[in-house]
Amino acid sequence: MTKLNPAAPRRVVFQYLVPVHIEVEDGLVCSVTVIDETPVENPTVVEGDADYLDAAVKAADDGQPWPSWQFGY
C-alpha cells in the first residue's frame, strides 16, 4: 500500500457526464437527483495534476459514499 505524503497532496479536479433526474413545478426547479451509479467514463481534467487522473477516477468509482453534492457554480 502506498502511503501519501501529507505535505504534498496530489489533487486533480475532473468532470464527466452523468444522467440526472430534474423535477420542475410551475417553472421552478424543485429537485435535482444525480444518478450516482453511473461509472466514470471519458473524464476531463478541469484543474490540478493531470498525471493523477487515472488514480483519482479509480478512487471516485470504487463504490465509496460521496461526502456531499454541490449543485451550480
Side-chain angles (χ1 to χ4, degrees), residues 44-59:
T44 302
V45 173
V46 175
E47 66 181 62
D49 183 358
D51 292 336
Y52 183 45
L53 180 61
D54 289 339
V57 168
K58 286 178 186 172

Side-chain angles (χ1 to χ4, degrees), residues 8-31:
R10 294 187 304 164
R11 180 175 188 275
V12 65
V13 177
F14 65 90
Q15 64 186 22
Y16 65 101
L17 298 177
V18 296
V20 296
H21 176 95
I22 301 171
E23 295 179 36
V24 178
E25 291 181 12
D26 297 326
L28 297 174
V29 175
C30 59
S31 174

